[in-house]
Amino acid sequence: MSGSNSSLPGDVPADAPTLARVDGPLTMTVHSLPTPGQGLARDAAATRRGRWKMLLLFLISASPVIASYFTYYVIRPEGRRNYGELIEPQRPLPAFSGWDAQGRQVPLTSLAHQWLFISVADSACDAQCERHLYLQHQLREGLGKDKDRMDWVWLRTGAREFPQRLQPALQTATVLWVDEAQLATWLQPAPGGRLADHLYVVDPIGNWMMRFPKDADPAKMRRDLERLMRASSSWDRPGRP
């Protein structure tokens, strides 16, 4: 009927929203999912980043030690050339034990975390042995405030009995009886020499790193010891953990 506002079913009023007048089926957007290989690759990359971060932290914490050794072993200007012979490669403290004056077993590895100034001699202690013990004591005392960073050690061989006549002079020393054959697998003299000919230095990490010549000059030994103390002052502290 003309003039009527009625409409047939299915007709869309002219003023209806545009969306209602769009014909055609509804569609859905599907986003692609990651493949299993992509997830594993991301995990591997994260693991690598974590390892690099751990390595960087280790290098930062170890940098003072590395720097001091680089300075002493690599740079070494001519005017600061060491008197003692540097041991390369360095040799770590061995796994065997010694025995103290009370007969207690002491692993040599327990001496680590201090600088060690070592002499080797038969328990009878001849004139050369007494001279070495005297030099060890005097040179350590000469380090002043740094003396507590260094232990002087007598590794004695031969008879097990402790030489009582020397006890008063050894109050501040570490004295251990060791098997000479075992000791010779770690410390070594200069070619043609004897273990008792030398004084030896072990660093706080536990590595034998220097050997002084036979009949060494005390003044030159002192300079080397002082340089070692200075080179390690940024990371070495007195005492053992």
Side-chain angles (χ1 to χ4, degrees), residues 55-208:
L55 178 60
L56 181 60
L57 288 173
F58 170 78
L59 291 175
I60 291 172
S61 62
S63 59
V65 180
I66 296 170
S68 63
Y69 272 77
F70 181 81
T71 300
Y72 194 84
Y73 288 111
V74 180
I75 299 177
R76 294 204 312 265
E78 185 65 28
R80 297 182 60 186
R81 188 66 58 95
N82 51 284
Y83 174 63
E85 179 184 355
L86 296 176
I87 305 304
E88 297 177 355
Q90 299 168 9
R91 301 184 182 187
L93 283 162
F96 61 82
S97 296
W99 281 261
D100 65 14
Q102 289 72 43
R104 295 172 298 200
Q105 189 172 4
V106 179
L108 263 65
T109 51
S110 69
L111 303 181
H113 307 296
Q114 281 278 87
W115 286 97
L116 305 178
F117 193 21
I118 298 176
S119 64
V120 177
D122 188 277
S123 296
C125 198
D126 59 14
Q128 183 186 51
C129 164
E130 291 189 10
R131 177 178 180 271
H132 278 175
L133 293 176
Y134 174 78
L135 285 175
Q136 286 174 274
H137 176 265
Q138 293 299 105
L139 290 171
R140 177 181 178 271
E141 291 297 313
L143 294 175
K145 63 181 179 61
D146 288 325
K147 72 177 184 179
D148 291 334
R149 294 167 53 200
M150 176 173 284
D151 290 347
W152 61 296
V153 181
W154 176 22
L155 299 179
R156 60 186 186 89
T157 59
R160 288 243 188 170
E161 292 76 18
F162 187 84
Q164 295 300 321
R165 66 184 175 85
L166 295 175
Q167 187 171 9
L170 298 172
Q171 294 298 317
T172 59
T174 299
V175 182
L176 297 176
W177 181 90
V178 294
D179 180 85
E180 188 171 7
Q182 284 187 317
L183 186 59
T185 65
W186 177 47
L187 298 179
Q188 289 187 353
R194 303 176 304 132
L195 281 174
D197 290 340
H198 307 280
L199 290 170
Y200 307 85
V201 179
V202 174
D203 67 25
I205 301 173
N207 293 319
W208 169 37

